[in-house]
Amino acid sequence: MSERDNLVVRFVKTPPPGPLAADVFSWEKEPLAELQDGEILVRHIYLSIDAGSRAQLDERTGYVIHASAGKVMMGAGAVAEVVESRHEQWRAGDVLAVAYACWQSYQVIRPDTETLFRVDPTVAPIAMHLGALGWVGFTAFIGIFEVGKPLAGETVLVSAAAGATGSLAGQFAKISGARVVGIAGGAQKCALVKEQFGFDDCIDYKRGDIGESIAGACPEGVDVYYDNVGGEIQRAAFAHMNTFGRVALCGQVTQYSGEGAAPGPNLMVAVRQRLTVRGFLVSDHLERREEFVEAASRWYREGRLQHQVTVTQGLENIHEAINSLTLGHNLGKQLCQVADEPAH
Ligand SMILES: NC(=O)c1ccc[n+]([C@@H]2O[C@H](COP(=O)([O-])OP(=O)(O)OC[C@H]3O[C@@H](n4cnc5c(N)ncnc54)[C@H](OP(=O)(O)O)[C@@H]3O)[C@@H](O)[C@H]2O)c1
């Protein structure tokens, strides 16, 4: 096993604000430890690239986790194939999704102590287990059904609507019977949000005044704001909240690239309109994961759930995968492909 090339990505230093240069990481081939009883060796196929992948590189973002200099980078999951097994429930050729993954080509996993999900490659594209059937899908599911709880006929506004989490949050809100308006950067993304993801409308925040655009697209006001971005869009959305509205604070992408936090909303609105503004972490809701996978798989089979990925090739280009996302070049879920998909 030690002769296998295991390319490992380690964090080197906090980058300056903006897009990443390659020197923020190091890439080195390192030997793999000998497999022990109860362990499996997996080959990563796709690594999840998330808004948090950039945020964790800079402590000032206030993100949930931070990269440490010299340590292997960790991400929010991977889809992988078992290549060797010394665990009775796993065999070479099995495909799995792992909830947290080191950024390296191979990984030794102890299934009894890790959060693993078996993947059936015949049911859906395996990359979907990092998107609609994975962590971001589950996040959107909790944000809509546990936090926002839209009622039929209510208006739901979703920022970063062409991205992984936002596109799914909007689709779940549509399944609830709500009227759903997205916010995204550019005409191409807005078309995708309406035509593929089935939103009722989509605002291009790069054109015109965002407050006026929200007023025009949400004439009845906003009952649920699913906030992925913070900043100026958040400020404008808060100003259009209805009485007893709900804000699902999912994340704050605008402050993830090291530019610092934008001035916040006038929170007097939250008092005046008796808003529920609730932060949440998907990891507090693992008891609903099975229910989510069952529901999302069914909606996918029924053609009610659309899935889109943007793939950057090669572990050596993983910083470019992060830049793709922070520059908004991703349509749907951003991934980094590390190895070929297995033939099934
Ligand atoms: N709470 C949780 O448990 C949890 C779990 C997972 C993810 N999240 C959050 O979910 C959000 C989305 O993450 P994701 O990984 O799915 O990323 P994503 O939405 O696929 O990609 C991020 C998108 O943000 C938009 N964006 C970037 N800079 C922006 C700016 N300055 N202003 C407005 N929009 C900007 C870009 O779209 P445009 O081109 O449209 O601007 C980009 O495509 C993040 O806030 C993340 O932290 C939370």
Side-chain angles (χ1 to χ4, degrees):
M1 201 169 30
S2 52
E3 71 276 5
R4 254 190 249 274
D5 281 344
N6 187 31
L7 192 61
V8 177
V9 183
R10 291 179 186 275
F11 181 55
V12 173
K13 59 177 183 184
T14 302
L20 300 179
D23 63 0
V24 97
F25 302 128
S26 68
W27 286 261
E28 285 186 28
K29 288 181 182 166
E30 298 182 9
L32 282 158
E34 207 57 48
L35 211 58
Q36 305 296 315
D37 283 343
E39 292 180 339
I40 58 175
L41 176 70
V42 303
R43 175 177 74 100
H44 286 147
I45 301 165
Y46 293 108
L47 292 173
S48 181
I49 303 297
D50 301 87
S53 306
R54 177 64 176 83
Q56 65 166 305
L57 306 179
D58 190 329
E59 286 195 358
R60 290 168 300 176
T61 60
Y63 195 64
V64 194
I65 50 167
H66 295 297
S68 303
K71 293 270 169 31
V72 180
M73 285 293 301
M74 290 284 293
V79 169
E81 181 186 22
V82 178
V83 289
E84 268 184 60
S85 175
R86 291 184 64 178
H87 188 284
E88 56 185 15
Q89 283 160 21
W90 293 92
R91 289 196 315 213
D94 286 348
V95 180
L96 56 84
V98 55
Y100 301 99
C102 293
W103 286 3
Q104 50 193 46
S105 16
Y106 291 90
Q107 188 158 354
V108 173
I109 295 176
R110 189 164 276 280
D112 294 341
T113 57
E114 296 270 346
T115 311
L116 302 183
F117 308 102
R118 199 173 280 278
V119 168
D120 181 348
T122 62
V123 170
I126 62 173
M128 262 189 94
H129 292 268
L130 296 177
L133 299 178
W135 219 218
V136 291
F138 188 36
T139 299
F141 182 87
I142 292 298
I144 291 297
F145 295 115
E146 186 88 23
V147 182
K149 296 184 177 166
L151 302 174
E154 285 191 323
T155 299
V156 176
L157 182 65
V158 181
S159 52
T165 309
S167 63
L168 293 159
Q171 292 182 74
F172 294 146
K174 277 300 292 178
I175 287 168
S176 300
R179 177 169 181 275
V180 182
V181 176
I183 303 175
Q188 186 201 6
K189 286 194 172 186
C190 287
L192 178 84
V193 166
K194 288 191 283 187
E195 288 158 23
Q196 183 167 340
F197 300 135
F199 287 43
D200 297 286
D201 204 350
C202 189
I203 295 165
D204 177 358
Y205 72 88
K206 293 183 175 170
R207 280 173 63 105
D209 178 85
I210 182 68
E212 285 173 15
S213 301
I214 293 174
C218 307
E220 311 280 312
V222 176
D223 300 295
V224 175
Y225 173 48
Y226 192 103
D227 185 11
N228 282 317
V229 300
E232 289 301 321
I233 293 174
Q234 180 193 68
R235 182 204 294 267
F238 267 66
H240 291 87
M241 293 301 299
N242 287 334
T243 306
F244 301 122
R246 285 83 69 200
V247 176
L249 278 184
C250 182
Q252 306 285 285
V253 168
T254 49
Q255 56 195 62
Y256 290 178
S257 294
E259 287 92 354
N266 178 354
L267 286 177
M268 197 57 210
V269 176
V271 178
R272 198 172 62 236
Q273 298 288 67
R274 285 84 90 202
L275 307 182
T276 301
V277 180
R278 182 178 154 194
F280 72 96
L281 286 175
V282 65
S283 46
D284 292 333
H285 301 275
L286 292 177
E287 76 288 350
R288 294 197 67 179
R289 195 178 188 285
E290 222 170 283
E291 176 200 350
F292 151 69
V293 172
E294 190 280 319
S297 303
R298 178 164 35 84
W299 293 329
Y300 177 68
R301 282 196 306 277
E302 292 169 357
R304 299 171 78 192
L305 199 56
Q306 297 299 313
H307 166 71
Q308 171 92 33
V309 294
T310 299
V311 181
T312 300
Q313 294 295 334
L315 190 54
E316 66 280 10
N317 294 318
I318 201 157
H319 60 297
E320 293 296 358
I322 298 174
N323 289 338
S324 164
L325 188 143
T326 53
L327 293 171
H329 294 164
N330 62 312
L331 299 177
K333 174 66 192 160
Q334 176 72 49
L335 300 171
C336 179
Q337 185 158 15
V338 178
D340 289 340
E341 290 197 16
H344 281 99

